[in-house]
């Protein structure tokens, strides 16, 4: 199913609102993982609002729901923003982010946040968990789909490739990995820290179907996610080429905004750039 122009416009609007929520959260804490949260926002937006994921805000633990694992746990604020917009959690949690007693924190907690399927933070484990969930679905004759968002720096973790082997062996066609390929990690360029190219060839060699896209083009994102659910026996990896810090000019493609304090002036500039016609709070 091709995304219609009306849907694309709605996704663009929603992604701006989610980015505003991200900036609001990090302003409340005084710091945050801006780069990786903003780079995966368009992917998360499409999953939640592009008629891709099956879910129910009134029943977050619905056994037949699709699952989303943000394996790069520091990118979870993108999911928090989507959960606000989807009605899973109240908007007031945004400005309480990382304050004393807050429900939202840097890394996702499945025990305190409705709609979060797995607690994450220690990199490299999400694909193994996702493979286990996908295998359980097959064993239980369930038709839910499992999505795992991976950071490209995270691909240096060996457990990712163990999970990739197992997923192909067990023919987990109900598993989709999405690599947030923004080319930067906390230590600098991924290709300087630990090269991962040729990335598509690696995944293909492990038995995965590979789709490469522009991770900020909603038509491409929607088409790839739709294709990944087409009933193949192969697991699918979507290599989404993105820009770290996308949406805020002074954060875009800047390694230092992987995790960084934010000043009042920067906060106001970021919101001014993002706001457009979205109804973000002052």
């Amino acid at each position: 199913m091709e995304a219609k122009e009306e849907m694309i416009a709605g996704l663009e609007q929603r992604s701006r609102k989610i980015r505003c929520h991200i900036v609001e959260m990090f302003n409340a804490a005084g710091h945050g993982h801006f780069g990786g949260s903003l780079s995966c926002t368009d992917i998360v937006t499409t999953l939640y609002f592009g008629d891709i994921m099956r879910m129910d805000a009134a029943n977050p633990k619905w056994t037949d729901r699709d699952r989303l694992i943000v394996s790069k746990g520091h990118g979870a604020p993108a999911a928090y923003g989507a959960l606000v917009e989807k009605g899973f959690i109240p908007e007031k949690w945004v400005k309480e982010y990382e304050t004393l007693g807050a429900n939202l924190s840097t890394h996702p907690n499945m025990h305190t946040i409705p709609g979060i399927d797995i607690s994450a933070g220690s990199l490299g484990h999400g694909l193994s968990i996702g493979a286990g969930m996908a295998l359980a679905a097959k064993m239980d004759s369930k038709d839910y789909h499992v999505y795992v968002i991976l950071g490209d720096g995270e691909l240096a973790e060996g457990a990712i490739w163990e999970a990739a082997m197992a997923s192909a062996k067990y023919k987990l066609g109900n598993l989709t990995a999405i690599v947030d390929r923004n080319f930067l990690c906390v230590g600098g360029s991924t290709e300087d820290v630990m090269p991962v190219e040729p990335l598509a060839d690696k995944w293909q060699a492990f038995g995965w179907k590979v789709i490469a896209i522009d991770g900020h083009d909603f038509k491409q994102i929607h088409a790839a996610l739709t294709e990944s659910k087409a009933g193949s026996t192969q697991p699918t990896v979507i290599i989404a080429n993105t820009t770290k810090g996308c949406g805020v000019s002074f954060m875009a493609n800047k390694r230092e905004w992987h995790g960084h304090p934010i000043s009042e002036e920067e906060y106001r500039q970021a919101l001014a750039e993002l706001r457009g016609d979205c109804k973000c709070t002052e």
Side-chain angles (χ1 to χ4, degrees):
M1 180 184 68
E2 184 177 346
K4 296 181 179 179
E5 292 302 320
E6 183 179 357
M7 175 184 285
I8 297 300
L11 292 173
E12 290 172 348
Q13 166 80 353
R14 194 75 69 170
S15 71
R16 287 195 297 271
K17 294 185 75 172
I18 291 172
R19 283 188 169 93
C20 286
H21 289 319
I22 291 169
V23 171
E24 291 278 11
M25 280 183 255
F26 294 156
N27 182 63
H31 62 89
H33 289 91
F34 290 91
S37 297
L38 294 170
S39 64
C40 70
T41 296
D42 297 327
I43 297 162
V44 170
T45 301
T46 309
L47 284 166
Y48 278 91
F49 297 98
D51 293 331
I52 299 294
M53 284 182 61
R54 185 171 61 195
M55 68 190 81
D56 183 358
N59 185 13
K61 295 296 185 182
W62 178 33
T63 56
D64 291 326
R65 73 191 183 281
D66 290 335
R67 274 71 167 167
L68 173 63
I69 298 171
V70 185
S71 186
K72 45 169 277 181
H74 55 280
Y80 299 162
L83 290 172
V84 169
E85 290 297 304
K86 201 71 177 177
F88 279 81
I89 61 177
E91 188 170 352
K92 69 176 185 177
W93 285 12
V94 168
K95 290 195 173 183
E96 297 170 355
Y97 176 82
E98 283 216 330
T99 57
L100 185 63
N103 292 281
L104 302 180
S105 58
T106 300
H107 297 108
N109 185 336
M110 63 186 290
H111 301 293
T112 61
I113 308 171
I116 293 295
D117 288 308
I118 288 297
S119 302
S122 181
L123 295 174
H125 300 299
L127 192 59
S128 296
I129 297 168
M133 287 179 166
L135 182 58
K138 292 185 67 174
M139 294 173 70
D140 292 340
S141 299
K142 298 282 189 179
D143 67 349
Y144 63 77
H145 203 92
V146 182
Y147 300 90
V148 182
I149 297 178
L150 302 167
D152 51 0
E154 183 181 12
L155 299 183
E157 300 283 352
I160 296 290
W161 302 102
E162 294 177 35
M165 281 192 290
S167 300
K169 168 184 167 53
Y170 291 108
K171 298 180 170 56
L172 301 182
N174 58 339
L175 174 65
T176 298
I178 306 158
V179 177
D180 183 7
R181 185 68 170 118
N182 60 41
F183 290 86
L184 289 171
C185 60
V186 66
S189 164
T190 55
E191 300 314 286
D192 291 335
V193 174
M194 184 58 66
V196 296
E197 294 294 346
L199 190 53
D201 291 345
K202 283 187 172 72
W203 285 98
Q204 287 173 343
F206 275 77
W208 286 59
K209 178 180 181 178
V210 179
I211 306 172
I213 63 168
D214 177 342
H216 301 303
D217 183 313
F218 285 108
K219 285 187 177 179
Q220 291 187 35
I221 300 168
H222 189 273
L225 290 169
T226 300
E227 184 179 345
S228 77
K229 296 182 72 171
S232 170
T233 58
Q234 275 183 296
T236 298
V237 60
I238 299 170
I239 300 175
N241 292 291
T242 62
T243 299
K244 204 173 184 83
C246 180
V248 180
S249 62
F250 60 88
M251 298 180 186
N253 207 31
K254 299 289 177 56
R255 180 204 61 80
E256 56 266 31
W257 283 98
H258 176 91
H260 199 280
I262 186 169
S263 69
E264 181 66 21
E265 181 180 354
E266 288 167 333
Y267 161 65
R268 292 191 175 279
Q269 181 180 342
L271 273 190
E273 291 185 17
L274 289 170
R275 188 172 285 118
D277 62 349
C278 78
K279 308 303 181 185
C280 302
T281 56
E282 287 284 346

